[in-house]
Structure formats: structure tokens, C-alpha cells
Amino acid sequence: MSQLYDSTFFKTTKLFELTDRIFLLSCGATMLSFDAVTGAPKGGSAVRGRAEAYIAAEAFKIAVSDEMRAAIEELEALENLDAITAAAVRQARREYDSRCKIPVHIMREFSELTTEANHVWEDAKVANDFKAFAPYLARIIDYNKTFIDYRGYTGVPYNTLLDDYELGMTTDKLDIFFGTLKNTIVPLLKRITEAEQIDDSFVTRYVPKDKQKAISELLMNKLGYDRNRGQLRESAHPFTTGFGSAETRITTHYYDQSFFYSMYSVIHETGHALYELGKMPEIASTMLDDGVSMGVHESQSRFYENVIGRSRAFWELIYDELIAILGDEWKGIPVESFYRAANKAEPSFIRTEADELTYSLHIMVRYEIEKAIFAGGVSVDELPELWNAKYKEYLGITPPTDTVGVLQDTHWSGGSFGYFPSYSLGNAYAAQILNTMNKEIDLEALIRADKISEITTWLGEKIHKFGKIKPPAQLFTDFTGEDLNAEHYVKYLNNKFEGLYNLK
Ligand code: ZN
């Protein structure tokens, strides 16, 4: 590995010792929560909950200790730090400040509120009863405004929350970003809804779980997911977790009449896992052994899911083996039909079920609403109406209930604001990566030749290996030669969907 990145000094520091203790505690907490949602018996949930709370409290004590402050200050006083130590100090300072600026008793109140709010939201969603959730949401928003008061902001208050998920992100940058998306996707979707529709009726055919599991194995093999450092399990909602490059696990969910669901969630989560597993050994099990931002993490999952997994080349690669698993009754469906069905675009209410084209419109609705909330431009009571008006404007449809409208996502009940835009940034980053990649390697040829591992190696060299060493904006400008922008993404969408729907 390059001489530029040497962790010998960092591993002798007090900062490493303290953060290593936090890392080891977090390994225990990660496995407890992973186990809880992948089949642990219910009987032990109380003691497991206590263990998780204890671990979190011990880690918090170290994180806000005088020892930690001294360890950071000691390194900040040194000049000419190597790249790994410098990045670790930057990261440690950021985490220390964000933890210490807000009084502990306020954080505890907030944590109790969101635990309760989450239960209330679950019931309110089922009952289509926004009024039951509204007072909790109002209090969660007030707490977030208080946090911003403690932490300060540049520009507008909402920027502080955006920065938590994507370092350096602001409403000024996102307004331009979403403006470009809106001007392209809204008219393109309109042309698509007026064009001849893609027939995807076969995707709801019954596929038993054992066959879907075999498909998952096929996909993980094609993508090169190392099962010696990873594992697939089942949970209600797919996700990725683990200990960074040492071990990263994924989950999926199987539906008898939607095998595309498990297929594309396995590809998506494998994308997250390949990023985690691809980091350089010098930073393994350190505080830099993590994805650099939510947006960049999502760029990797979406690159594998959409750019690779929804390509014609990928469908040609897996077609014979897929049909062998599905059985003879599927033989009559040509590969082109699978490819087209996997890329069908249409307006829908639910973000998590949205297709590649309309996905960012769902995010834009949430971004504009969150921005208005923190600018003081909208009250909680007005949210359902505002939500529905924006769906009508951008997607051309009006949610019939709040269950499939403003109540659909869990993020707000958990206290998270500023998170949603990273999903769209991930799509745009992925298109920007593709634009640079096309100048150096032949993506389609590699997929057809069953050499996806060479694509992963390329991504590893440009992105994965750095973990948190470089800030996200620098990571991208270093290898694409330009700042984040929406231009490549809208060009990619126009090209792909005009082709699919014969709009050219
Ligand atoms: Zn993801």
C-alpha cells in the first residue's frame, strides 16, 4: 500500500487508544442490534436492551471525557501530521464538539421522546391518523431547533442538519441541485406516462423462498461479495451493518410474489458492503474505517443496484443461470423483457418502492418541506396538505391517505432531519462516477465478461480504500476533476429512459 498512508504513528497515540475502546464497545452493540432484528428470540429482549444501553453509556463516557479532549488537543498542537492522523483528529474534533455542545439531560429527554414518538408514529401510520402524531412531531422539531441553537449554523439553520449527513452540504447547493433535477425529471416523467407502457406483469408471479435464496447466492457471487467477511440474513427491512472492513453483513426480505424486491435489495446492500470491505488495511478497525458520508455510501449501493444491476449487460450475464433457478415455465420470457421490467418508471406514492427515475422526486418533496420547517415557513398542522400538493405538482398524483403520504417514512419520528437529500446525492454521485469510469474502463464489456470484480477494484482505488480519510467533496474532485453536480445524472436519466420508452 502507498507510503502516503501510514498509520504507525496514529496507532501510538492516546486518541487511537480511546477511539479503539469505543470501536470495540460498538462491535458489541452492533451485534446485539443485528441479532435483535434477524431472528433473536423475544424472551431475552429486555436484558439485551439493558446491555445495549450499558454499552452506549460506556462509549459516551469515553467520547466526552477530559482524556478525549486532551488527546485531541495534544495532536492538534502538532504540525505536519501524516494524512491518517490528521484525518482522525479532524473527525474526532467534529464528533467531540457535536456531543459536548448539547447538555446531556437534553439529549436524554430527546432520546426518550423519539422512542415514544416512534411507537406513536407506527400506530398513527396504520390508523391514518396524522393528528395523533402531530404533537410529537412538533416537539421533535422544537428539539432540533434547540440543537441548532446550541451548535450554531452558517447561512441558514437547516444547514447544520444537512452537514451531519453530508459534510459541507448547504441549502444553496441543494437548491441548484434539485432545481436541475426538477427541470429534467418532471417533464421526462410526463412524456413517459403518455408513452406506451412496459409490460411487467410477470414480475408478480409466485417464486418460492428457496428459489429466491438461490438467486441471492447467484447475485452475491456475480458481484464478488466475500462471504468469509460477510453474510446475508433476513430482516423486515434490508440493511447493511458490521465492523467496517473486517466484517460487513447484509440483510434482505423475501416476498413470494415480488422476487425483484429481494434481488434488488441484495444488489443494493452488497454495494454498501463492498464499499465497507474495500478500505485500505492501514485504517482497518480505526475511526476512519467507515463510509465517508451518507451520500457517498448511497452512491455505491446505487451504482451496483442501478448502473450495474439494471443494465442490459447484467441481465444478459445472469439470464441463463436465473432461468435455471426459476424453472422451465419462465423460459418463454426473453432477457429484454426482464431488462425492461426492471427499469419500468411510473409515478407512485411510496418512496422506498419508487423506480430509478422518479426516486429523486420523492426526495425533493421531503427536502423542500424540511427546508420550509426550519425556515419557519410551515406549521406541523399544514404538513399533510403541503405534502399532497407537492406530490400533485411533481408526480401528478395525490396520496389518498396520510398513511401513503406524509406518515410513510420513519425518519422524522426517529428525530432525523437533513438525512433525505443524501439519497439523491447518492444517485448523482453514481452518475458522476460512471462518467469518469467510462473514460478509463469499459463497464459494459466487463459486466458481460463476468468481471465485475474489476469494476469493484476501480471503485476501490478511487473511493473505497480511503474510508473517512478525505472529506466527501475532495474525494470526488480528486478523481472526477469536478465538484458534485446534477448534470451527469440528468444526462444519464434522459439517455436511459428515452431509450427504454422510445422517446427519441
Ligand atoms: Zn442504501
Side-chain angles (χ1 to χ4, degrees), residues 240 268-269 272 294 297-298 301-302 305 423:
T240 301
H268 180 98
E269 302 305 331
H272 282 304
M294 284 299 308
H297 231 306
E298 206 58 16
S301 54
R302 282 170 198 275
E305 179 190 345
Y423 294 120

